[in-house]
Amino acid sequence: MKRLHGKNILLGITGGIAAYKSAELTRRLKDAGADVRVAMTRAATEFVTPLTFQALSGHPVHTELLDESSEAGMGHIELARWADAILIAPTSANFIAKLAQGRADDLLSTICLATEVPLAFAPAMNQAMWNDLATQANCKTLRQRGLFQFGPASGEQACGEIGEGRMMEVPELIDHLADCFEHGVLQAVNVMITAGPTYEPIDPVRFIGNRSSGRMGYALAEAAREAGASVTLISGPCHLATPDKVQRINVETAEQMHKAVFDHLKECNIFIAAAAVADYKPVDAKKQKIKKDNESLNLVLERNPDILSDVAHSKTRPFVVGFAAETENIEQNAQSKLQRKNLDMIAANFVGQTENNKQDIGFNSEYNALQVFWANGSSTLELTRKSVLARQLIQLITNHYQAHKKDEKNTA
Ligand code: PMT
């Protein structure tokens, strides 16, 4: 099968002599099965005309942010949503700097800021510009945010100099892009993820719940799926669409979540507990609605099963990753949960407003930041969208899972 069959690829082209190679790239992307739309910066149109790309892609080329006719056709937000991936090739030093700063002053940079899909950039510039510390620092920032950097290659440059900075060749660009969809690092691996809140009934109309939206767990399900895993998502009540090709099982209470997890545990290789499970439930959930007869009401609560701990202590346990939602002493509390619950890894997040920017993160937010701990190490995943963070966490989990499998093999 063609490696990009059925994929919507937005090809971004910025100003540089390598823009002439983007014509060939457009053709080859189509040959690989992709539907290609092209967005060009003004500088790019100085090198190659939009008409060339219109003819090759079969679609009008997008160049202006504030253009009534193109916004009426497919505006920048729709383009950002339409794409399954964005590839910017060539990417100039200036555009890399713009991306690193999060600027949105033309169509392409605005699309990049508005998108949540994998974003790849292929640097192409003079070798001195490439080696400049500012460019290097900007590329590092982009990689840390989860963008894919393709190249550059080295060799003779259009300016006559020799060195690193040439745009990666077209076949390699296509291979790398296809890898973003099917890098398959988790192919043939079954991943089970819990997500969302649990609702513990008090009576038929009331429950004890929490502020979890499910976004973190759903983003992880999508990222694991992208990495090639078969994903089972055990979801508490939340209003999110099920990610493509993910098996979702709906539950309401902690006990139901516990049962669903154990029903599917046999096939599971990696278990990730992102759900905010109620620690306690009412002892005696009433069959009828409680009447307002008394001035006060006492609810007696009892402990729910700890799903994560039970999985991690089970006989044939998978690789187990827990979460820790903390409002203080993040590291200390996370380390204690890592040991007490017998986990391989734990991803700790601060829940509430950060002191620095007063932005809500963690619960019910598009954003999060994580400190991840394991037996003899840790890693910090900086504040970003949950979709980006999820890909970074899945990559980290994958690295540890593979090392763990190797160790198991060696000691067998
Ligand atoms: O859903 P969002 O709005 O996107 O928010 C994401 C999140 C903040 C809910 C998520 O990032 C997160 O931190 N999830 C874990 C929340 C939590 O319940 O943390 P905890 O520290 O109380 O529990 C520790 C771990 O034990 C968690 O992995 C939890 O899933 C698990 N647990 C807890 C209690 C229980 N009875 N069973 C469990 O499995």
Side-chain angles (χ1 to χ4, degrees):
M1 181 152 113
K2 295 176 174 182
R3 289 195 73 196
L4 290 171
H5 176 77
K7 298 290 181 218
N8 293 338
I9 304 299
L10 181 73
L11 176 62
I13 304 173
T14 71
I17 184 61
Y20 80 91
K21 291 190 191 171
S22 309
E24 174 71 1
L25 178 58
T26 308
R27 284 197 56 187
R28 297 300 158 225
L29 284 169
K30 290 198 65 154
D31 288 350
D35 189 5
V36 184
R37 289 181 181 261
V38 178
M40 300 175 77
T41 63
R42 193 160 300 159
T45 64
E46 304 281 334
F47 289 89
V48 193
T49 68
L51 199 57
T52 308
F53 294 101
Q54 178 167 330
L56 291 170
S57 68
H59 296 293
V61 170
H62 304 265
T63 54
E64 298 299 328
L65 178 58
L66 302 172
D67 171 45
E68 268 177 40
S69 59
S70 56
E71 283 291 305
M74 194 185 255
H76 61 282
I77 297 293
E78 279 161 295
L79 270 173
R81 288 191 186 136
W82 170 84
D84 292 314
I86 298 177
L87 169 62
I88 308 169
T91 318
S92 65
N94 180 49
F95 200 80
I96 287 171
K98 258 200 221 190
L99 285 178
Q101 288 171 11
R103 287 173 64 186
D105 59 1
D106 63 7
L107 176 69
L108 187 56
S109 54
T110 306
I111 292 171
C112 291
L113 209 57
T115 194
E116 294 194 344
V117 299
L119 206 167
F121 65 105
M125 65 198 74
N126 160 273
Q127 55 88 22
M129 291 169 78
W130 170 249
N131 286 316
D132 188 90
L133 291 181
T135 305
Q136 290 299 315
N138 288 334
C139 285
K140 186 172 176 200
T141 301
L142 296 184
R143 290 195 302 271
Q144 281 174 342
R145 282 187 206 150
L147 274 70
F148 297 95
Q149 182 185 316
F150 298 165
S154 62
E156 193 176 342
Q157 302 201 300
C159 56
E161 293 178 17
I162 293 178
E164 226 179 346
R166 281 165 60 99
M167 185 165 95
M168 185 180 258
E169 295 302 326
V170 168
E172 280 177 84
L173 283 175
I174 290 178
D175 268 357
H176 279 66
L177 188 65
D179 284 349
C180 290
F181 293 107
E182 42 169 274
H183 44 84
V185 283
L186 286 180
Q187 227 134 50
V189 174
N190 293 322
V191 176
M192 179 158 44
I193 298 170
T194 65
T198 62
Y199 286 178
E200 308 299 328
I202 296 171
D203 69 15
V205 295
R206 303 178 179 97
F207 58 83
I208 297 174
N210 61 65
R211 296 181 197 281
S212 168
S213 63
R215 285 195 187 103
M216 192 69 243
Y218 277 59
L220 285 164
E222 187 150 16
R225 178 64 223 147
E226 265 174 28
S230 296
V231 182
T232 306
L233 179 63
I234 314 285
S235 175
C238 41
H239 305 283
L240 299 172
T242 311
D244 245 10
K245 298 182 192 151
V246 163
Q247 185 197 9
R248 168 170 165 181
I249 295 161
N250 291 325
V251 297
E252 232 177 76
T253 65
E255 275 196 6
Q256 290 168 1
M257 190 174 271
H258 189 277
K259 179 172 183 322
V261 164
F262 275 82
D263 282 351
H264 293 82
L265 196 60
K266 226 169 80 190
E267 307 92 54
C268 171
N269 304 109
I270 299 177
F271 177 68
I272 307 173
V277 185
D279 290 319
Y280 293 90
K281 65 173 180 189
V283 169
D284 179 22
K286 300 293 181 208
K287 295 266 177 307
Q288 306 301 331
K289 186 178 166 199
I290 299 172
K291 297 285 176 214
K292 211 171 29 181
D293 293 336
N294 298 314
E295 277 310 304
S296 63
L297 176 71
N298 287 328
L299 280 179
V300 181
L301 305 179
E302 64 182 339
R303 283 288 283 268
N304 262 324
D306 190 316
I307 304 164
L308 177 63
S309 178
D310 287 355
V311 169
H313 285 98
S314 63
K315 232 179 180 176
T316 51
R317 74 197 276 290
F319 186 85
V320 183
V321 182
F323 266 73
E326 306 295 343
T327 54
E328 57 183 351
N329 303 331
I330 290 199
E331 173 158 6
Q332 201 183 333
N333 291 333
Q335 292 281 13
S336 147
K337 282 176 188 169
L338 180 71
Q339 285 180 21
R340 191 160 28 93
K341 299 199 183 200
N342 192 34
L343 311 178
D344 296 298
M345 280 181 110
I346 190 156
N349 41 193
F350 178 83
V351 284
Q353 287 195 330
T354 58
E355 277 181 11
N356 299 337
N357 60 10
K358 302 290 178 208
Q359 180 180 41
D360 266 330
I361 60 170
F363 274 103
N364 199 16
S365 160
E366 296 282 357
Y367 293 85
N368 206 0
L370 294 171
Q371 277 176 265
V372 189
F373 302 96
W374 53 93
N376 47 12
S378 68
S379 176
T380 300
L381 304 181
E382 303 287 352
L383 176 69
T384 184
R385 282 183 176 276
K386 284 179 178 170
S387 51
V388 175
L389 199 64
R391 277 188 221 119
Q392 296 171 354
L393 182 58
I394 289 294
Q395 185 60 58
L396 193 61
I397 292 172
T398 303
N399 296 344
H400 283 259
Y401 169 70
Q402 286 171 341
H404 175 82
K405 294 294 291 172
K406 227 186 229 166
D407 286 350
E408 268 185 356
K409 236 190 212 163
N410 290 342
T411 49

mmCIF file of all heavy atoms in Angstrom, residues 16-17 34 40 85 120 123 166 204 223 256 303 311 315 377-378 384 387:
data_model
loop_
_atom_site.group_PDB
_atom_site.id
_atom_site.type_symbol
_atom_site.label_atom_id
_atom_site.label_comp_id
_atom_site.label_asym_id
_atom_site.label_seq_id
_atom_site.Cartn_x
_atom_site.Cartn_y
_atom_site.Cartn_z
ATOM 1 N N GLY A 16 13.217 30.371 -0.062
ATOM 2 C CA GLY A 16 14.577 29.842 -0.154
ATOM 3 C C GLY A 16 14.728 29.190 -1.516
ATOM 4 O O GLY A 16 13.724 28.752 -2.105
ATOM 5 N N ILE A 17 15.967 29.104 -1.994
ATOM 6 C CA ILE A 17 16.184 28.562 -3.336
ATOM 7 C C ILE A 17 15.717 27.108 -3.436
ATOM 8 O O ILE A 17 15.276 26.647 -4.487
ATOM 9 C CB ILE A 17 17.675 28.723 -3.764
ATOM 10 C CG1 ILE A 17 17.884 28.255 -5.195
ATOM 11 C CG2 ILE A 17 18.614 28.013 -2.811
ATOM 12 C CD1 ILE A 17 17.085 29.029 -6.214
ATOM 13 N N ALA A 34 -1.034 10.748 -0.947
ATOM 14 C CA ALA A 34 -1.546 11.851 -0.131
ATOM 15 C C ALA A 34 -2.386 12.830 -0.957
ATOM 16 O O ALA A 34 -2.185 12.978 -2.161
ATOM 17 C CB ALA A 34 -0.387 12.607 0.503
ATOM 18 N N MET A 40 1.954 28.954 0.859
ATOM 19 C CA MET A 40 3.271 29.560 0.611
ATOM 20 C C MET A 40 3.392 30.888 1.334
ATOM 21 O O MET A 40 2.420 31.645 1.416
ATOM 22 C CB MET A 40 3.466 29.807 -0.900
ATOM 23 C CG MET A 40 3.385 28.558 -1.738
ATOM 24 S SD MET A 40 3.461 28.912 -3.513
ATOM 25 C CE MET A 40 5.211 29.215 -3.758
ATOM 26 N N ALA A 85 -1.145 16.021 8.734
ATOM 27 C CA ALA A 85 0.222 16.418 9.120
ATOM 28 C C ALA A 85 0.599 17.634 8.281
ATOM 29 O O ALA A 85 0.057 17.846 7.189
ATOM 30 C CB ALA A 85 1.214 15.295 8.863
ATOM 31 N N ALA A 120 6.151 18.916 10.826
ATOM 32 C CA ALA A 120 7.554 18.623 10.511
ATOM 33 C C ALA A 120 8.148 19.794 9.738
ATOM 34 O O ALA A 120 7.446 20.432 8.946
ATOM 35 C CB ALA A 120 7.621 17.350 9.672
ATOM 36 N N PRO A 123 14.728 22.189 7.467
ATOM 37 C CA PRO A 123 15.530 23.408 7.342
ATOM 38 C C PRO A 123 16.312 23.421 6.030
ATOM 39 O O PRO A 123 16.797 22.381 5.570
ATOM 40 C CB PRO A 123 16.491 23.331 8.529
ATOM 41 C CG PRO A 123 15.897 22.339 9.465
ATOM 42 C CD PRO A 123 15.126 21.382 8.626
ATOM 43 N N ARG A 166 21.641 22.080 3.414
ATOM 44 C CA ARG A 166 20.830 21.743 2.226
ATOM 45 C C ARG A 166 19.527 21.078 2.658
ATOM 46 O O ARG A 166 19.507 20.315 3.629
ATOM 47 C CB ARG A 166 21.558 20.705 1.361
ATOM 48 C CG ARG A 166 22.647 21.233 0.484
ATOM 49 C CD ARG A 166 23.488 20.066 -0.008
ATOM 50 N NE ARG A 166 22.684 19.127 -0.777
ATOM 51 C CZ ARG A 166 22.639 19.100 -2.110
ATOM 52 N NH1 ARG A 166 23.398 19.924 -2.806
ATOM 53 N NH2 ARG A 166 21.898 18.230 -2.754
ATOM 54 N N PRO A 204 -30.117 8.361 42.991
ATOM 55 C CA PRO A 204 -30.236 8.243 41.526
ATOM 56 C C PRO A 204 -29.873 9.517 40.765
ATOM 57 O O PRO A 204 -29.614 9.461 39.559
ATOM 58 C CB PRO A 204 -31.719 7.897 41.315
ATOM 59 C CG PRO A 204 -32.182 7.338 42.606
ATOM 60 C CD PRO A 204 -31.372 7.994 43.674
ATOM 61 N N ALA A 223 -2.056 9.382 20.806
ATOM 62 C CA ALA A 223 -0.609 9.333 20.561
ATOM 63 C C ALA A 223 -0.118 7.879 20.513
ATOM 64 O O ALA A 223 0.730 7.532 19.689
ATOM 65 C CB ALA A 223 0.129 10.096 21.654
ATOM 66 N N GLN A 256 -16.648 -0.159 38.404
ATOM 67 C CA GLN A 256 -16.828 -0.566 36.998
ATOM 68 C C GLN A 256 -15.510 -0.421 36.232
ATOM 69 O O GLN A 256 -15.170 -1.242 35.386
ATOM 70 C CB GLN A 256 -17.911 0.297 36.338
ATOM 71 C CG GLN A 256 -19.311 0.002 36.844
ATOM 72 C CD GLN A 256 -20.320 1.058 36.397
ATOM 73 O OE1 GLN A 256 -19.992 2.018 35.695
ATOM 74 N NE2 GLN A 256 -21.559 0.891 36.815
ATOM 75 N N ARG A 303 -13.523 3.233 51.113
ATOM 76 C CA ARG A 303 -12.462 3.243 50.101
ATOM 77 C C ARG A 303 -12.894 2.484 48.852
ATOM 78 O O ARG A 303 -13.514 1.438 48.930
ATOM 79 C CB ARG A 303 -11.196 2.563 50.645
ATOM 80 C CG ARG A 303 -10.391 3.403 51.607
ATOM 81 C CD ARG A 303 -9.664 4.531 50.898
ATOM 82 N NE ARG A 303 -8.487 4.064 50.187
ATOM 83 C CZ ARG A 303 -7.270 4.050 50.731
ATOM 84 N NH1 ARG A 303 -7.082 4.473 51.962
ATOM 85 N NH2 ARG A 303 -6.252 3.617 50.035
ATOM 86 N N VAL A 311 -3.333 -3.383 39.543
ATOM 87 C CA VAL A 311 -2.709 -3.842 38.285
ATOM 88 C C VAL A 311 -1.218 -4.067 38.504
ATOM 89 O O VAL A 311 -0.657 -5.084 38.103
ATOM 90 C CB VAL A 311 -2.932 -2.803 37.148
ATOM 91 C CG1 VAL A 311 -2.066 -3.126 35.939
ATOM 92 C CG2 VAL A 311 -4.401 -2.754 36.744
ATOM 93 N N LYS A 315 -0.165 -10.628 39.170
ATOM 94 C CA LYS A 315 0.865 -11.651 38.946
ATOM 95 C C LYS A 315 1.623 -11.422 37.636
ATOM 96 O O LYS A 315 2.839 -11.300 37.603
ATOM 97 C CB LYS A 315 0.211 -13.035 38.935
ATOM 98 C CG LYS A 315 0.893 -13.987 39.885
ATOM 99 C CD LYS A 315 0.187 -15.303 39.828
ATOM 100 C CE LYS A 315 0.831 -16.308 40.758
ATOM 101 N NZ LYS A 315 0.058 -17.528 40.734
ATOM 102 N N GLY A 377 15.694 7.743 37.742
ATOM 103 C CA GLY A 377 15.806 8.916 36.882
ATOM 104 C C GLY A 377 14.523 9.708 36.807
ATOM 105 O O GLY A 377 13.503 9.340 37.414
ATOM 106 N N SER A 378 14.584 10.802 36.075
ATOM 107 C CA SER A 378 13.397 11.640 35.908
ATOM 108 C C SER A 378 13.559 12.493 34.658
ATOM 109 O O SER A 378 14.663 12.622 34.117
ATOM 110 C CB SER A 378 13.216 12.543 37.128
ATOM 111 O OG SER A 378 14.253 13.499 37.163
ATOM 112 N N THR A 384 2.765 22.562 27.687
ATOM 113 C CA THR A 384 2.355 22.655 26.284
ATOM 114 C C THR A 384 0.969 22.030 26.152
ATOM 115 O O THR A 384 0.366 21.602 27.133
ATOM 116 C CB THR A 384 3.388 21.964 25.350
ATOM 117 O OG1 THR A 384 2.998 22.163 23.993
ATOM 118 C CG2 THR A 384 3.492 20.474 25.612
ATOM 119 N N SER A 387 -2.073 17.458 23.573
ATOM 120 C CA SER A 387 -1.834 16.603 22.408
ATOM 121 C C SER A 387 -0.328 16.450 22.159
ATOM 122 O O SER A 387 0.146 15.359 21.818
ATOM 123 C CB SER A 387 -2.522 17.183 21.173
ATOM 124 O OG SER A 387 -2.170 18.535 21.012
#
